[in-house]
Amino acid sequence: EIFQSRKDVQIVLMLLVCFGRNGASQTDKCSYTFIVPQQKNNGAICVNSKEPEALLENRVNKQELELLNGELHKQRLQIEALQQLVEVDGGVVNEVKLLRKESRNMNSRVTQLYMQLLHEIIRKRDNALEASQLETRVLNHTQEMGRLASRFRDLEHKYQHLSAIANNQSALLVQLEEHCKRGGHPYGVVQDRSRPARPPVIPQPPIQMPPLSPGAFVDHFISPAGPFKDCLEALEAGYTTNGMYLLKPDNGNQLMQVWCDQTHDPGGWTVIQRRQDGSVNFFRNWETYKQGFGNIDGEYWLGLENIYWLTNQGTYKLLVSLEDWTGRKTFAEYASFRVESEADFYRLRVGRYHGSAGDSLTWHNGKQFTTLDSDHDVYTGNCAHYQKGGWWYNACAHSNLNGVWYRGGHYRSRYQDGVYWAEFRGGAYSLKKVTMMIRPNANTFH
């Protein structure tokens, strides 16, 4: 039996059955158990004390069932909440995956658009460069045509004048021959027997000028004599005026037109290159650098083949005259200078340096000539592409006298492609005037 003693605490006295020994009804021993529950009971609980202990232990009361049902209900609610969260999270994950996929697609599209834009920029830049070069060439050719036309008219007048003189001379010779046959003296002049008779002057035919190099034009002194093997020979023959002369080097097979500087101490200099106003484009191909180009009285390049024939007929020295945009002048002189034949791609050979500009050419000594379409430098790429000219490039240049002529000196370019001499004003400074000229070496420096 279960007794209720107090309102807040229930003490349940459980009478346990006392088991007798030897089948007697006598009770040997009784035990008492007091249970103090943590929660209030709502009614009496009957327990059959005669049931086995194992069944009593397995019996569950009503209160525990309600607690279990409550816990199960809470867990069910939590599971449902978790399922909802999983469903929401699953949707978010899918959306994140879609967003990542769209992001990758957008990145790919942006990259594609960037490459297209870059290609368009490069194409427009190349088109602008080609248009500028074409415009410069058209302007150069137009000026050259005008100069050639003017020169042709001058030569035509000179030819007519010489023809008239030749005809007069021929008529005079005929008269002299007829008078000599008669034993008389022309024009009533009595010959002085004390002096030997001077032979009549026979006019020389005019010298046949070789065709000018593309763009070449001369409006200065042109030597009527020659050809000479170099400008020093012309100077020694009494021609002391600066101008265009005809040269034919020893063992050479053709005439060449050059500019001789006979006033620069000590004279006899053959100009092989000149830069002064940017009027001529020096970004040319191999064949053009071989034959020569430009205006002989202005900016020009004599030609690698001509330089080869000139420098291989003796020992020549090189004088490089430099001037910046402030009027400062300097020079670099080399005791020897020559180039090899085209079979060796006009390899450069220079001797000992002397001067005030600094040595920016010895680094190129022994190197072959390189142009945009004929790469012979030691760099992995083509130095002519970066330096915008033709030169004896190494890897790539300490000097670039055939580069782009920039006005004002300091210039901005992706590469160092100006007309520079690194030891004088550096590679980022484009010089105003440059002249390269050669002269037979008399073992003396300028």
Side-chain angles (χ1 to χ4, degrees):
E1 295 179 358
I2 304 298
F3 299 94
Q4 183 174 354
S5 61
R6 292 183 59 182
K7 186 177 182 180
D8 55 346
V9 178
Q10 293 177 357
I11 300 176
V12 178
L13 177 61
M14 181 179 292
L15 286 180
L16 300 178
V17 179
C18 298
F19 296 93
R21 298 180 181 176
N22 299 322
S25 62
Q26 181 181 350
T27 301
D28 293 335
K29 185 179 181 181
C30 294
S31 62
Y32 300 91
T33 301
F34 296 91
I35 299 174
V36 182
Q38 295 180 354
Q39 296 182 358
K40 181 179 179 180
N41 292 326
N42 295 324
I45 298 177
C46 297
V47 178
N48 188 358
S49 60
K50 294 183 179 181
E51 289 185 357
E53 241 179 75
L55 295 178
L56 291 176
E57 290 177 356
N58 293 331
R59 186 179 294 276
V60 180
N61 57 32
K62 181 179 180 181
Q63 182 182 2
E64 291 177 347
L65 290 176
E66 291 178 355
L67 289 174
L68 288 175
N69 289 332
E71 290 295 329
L72 289 175
H73 182 68
K74 290 180 181 180
Q75 291 180 2
R76 189 180 297 108
L77 294 177
Q78 291 178 356
I79 290 173
E80 292 177 356
L82 289 174
Q83 288 179 347
Q84 293 179 357
L85 290 176
V86 168
E87 292 177 357
V88 173
D89 290 342
V92 171
V93 169
N94 292 331
E95 290 180 1
V96 169
K97 289 181 179 179
L98 292 175
L99 289 175
R100 287 179 178 174
K101 185 176 180 180
E102 292 179 0
S103 176
R104 288 194 296 268
N105 295 335
M106 289 298 295
N107 289 336
S108 176
R109 180 58 179 167
V110 168
T111 302
Q112 183 180 2
L113 292 176
Y114 175 76
M115 295 301 296
Q116 292 178 356
L117 179 61
L118 183 61
H119 177 72
E120 289 294 328
I121 292 174
I122 294 175
R123 186 177 62 82
K124 289 182 179 179
R125 185 191 64 182
D126 293 341
N127 291 340
L129 179 61
E130 292 177 0
S132 176
Q133 293 177 350
L134 179 61
E135 184 177 341
T136 302
R137 288 199 296 268
V138 170
L139 181 61
N140 289 338
H141 286 304
T142 302
Q143 294 176 351
E144 291 162 9
M145 290 178 62
R147 292 176 180 176
L148 287 174
S150 175
R151 182 60 188 160
F152 176 78
R153 289 192 295 269
D154 294 340
L155 290 176
E156 189 176 14
H157 291 321
K158 290 180 181 180
Y159 176 76
Q160 293 175 356
H161 179 67
L162 290 174
S163 296
I165 293 176
N167 292 333
N168 293 335
Q169 296 270 350
S170 298
L172 180 59
L173 286 175
V174 171
Q175 293 178 5
L176 287 173
E177 289 177 355
E178 292 177 354
H179 196 73
C180 287
K181 290 178 182 179
R182 294 194 299 267
H185 300 283
Y187 303 105
V189 178
V190 180
Q191 182 178 356
D192 187 357
R193 299 292 182 180
S194 62
R195 297 182 181 178
R198 180 178 298 175
V201 178
I202 300 176
Q204 299 291 332
I207 298 176
Q208 296 296 325
M209 302 290 184
L212 291 172
S213 301
F217 169 72
V218 179
D219 57 358
H220 294 276
F221 173 77
I222 302 176
S223 171
F228 307 100
K229 72 174 185 178
D230 55 30
C231 292
L232 180 59
E233 187 177 77
L235 179 67
E236 293 173 345
Y239 296 94
T240 60
T241 306
N242 296 341
M244 192 273 285
Y245 288 77
L246 288 177
L247 301 185
K248 186 178 184 299
D250 295 339
N251 302 321
N253 55 3
Q254 64 181 5
L255 294 175
M256 66 180 72
Q257 296 170 332
V258 304
W259 185 268
C260 290
D261 191 333
Q262 309 291 46
T263 59
H264 192 95
D265 186 35
W269 295 99
T270 302
V271 178
I272 63 175
Q273 187 257 23
R274 186 192 293 118
R275 307 296 300 276
Q276 61 184 20
D277 54 17
S279 59
V280 175
N281 179 19
F282 274 65
F283 195 23
R284 304 294 185 102
N285 59 17
W286 178 266
E287 186 63 25
T288 308
Y289 265 99
K290 174 184 174 181
Q291 300 297 335
F293 56 88
N295 307 318
I296 293 183
D297 64 330
E299 292 195 338
Y300 86 103
W301 173 258
L302 180 58
L304 290 167
E305 191 68 15
N306 292 335
I307 297 173
Y308 163 73
W309 287 110
L310 279 173
T311 58
N312 281 270
Q313 63 180 345
T315 302
Y316 283 78
K317 63 181 178 180
L318 171 68
L319 175 63
V320 181
S321 178
L322 309 170
E323 181 180 345
D324 65 10
W325 288 86
T326 64
R328 179 184 172 190
K329 298 180 181 180
T330 186
F331 74 95
E333 187 170 318
Y334 295 86
S336 63
F337 171 82
R338 68 183 176 91
V339 297
E340 304 292 349
S341 65
E342 186 179 13
D344 198 14
F345 304 108
Y346 302 108
R347 189 183 300 272
L348 175 66
R349 306 292 186 187
V350 293
R352 185 164 54 94
Y353 160 79
H354 168 76
S356 58
D359 184 8
S360 292
L361 190 60
T362 300
W363 195 61
H364 300 264
N365 188 26
K367 299 302 179 290
Q368 297 173 332
F369 202 85
T370 291
T371 60
L372 182 64
D373 59 336
S374 185
D375 184 6
H376 305 111
D377 56 55
V378 299
Y379 184 59
T380 54
N382 188 337
C383 290
H385 171 74
Y386 302 105
Q387 309 291 138
K388 299 295 185 296
W391 197 247
W392 296 276
Y393 292 117
N394 189 331
C396 279
H398 284 186
S399 56
N400 190 42
L401 301 187
N402 289 336
V404 181
W405 190 86
Y406 288 103
R407 184 178 300 276
H410 294 287
Y411 64 94
R412 288 186 177 182
S413 178
R414 186 175 181 181
Y415 308 105
Q416 287 189 348
D417 53 8
V419 180
Y420 67 83
W421 189 268
E423 298 297 326
F424 177 59
R425 302 306 303 265
Y429 188 96
S430 186
L431 299 172
K432 181 179 182 180
K433 293 183 180 180
V434 172
T435 304
M436 297 175 64
M437 43 191 176
I438 59 175
R439 186 182 190 275
N441 190 359
N443 296 324
T444 57
F445 283 107
H446 168 67

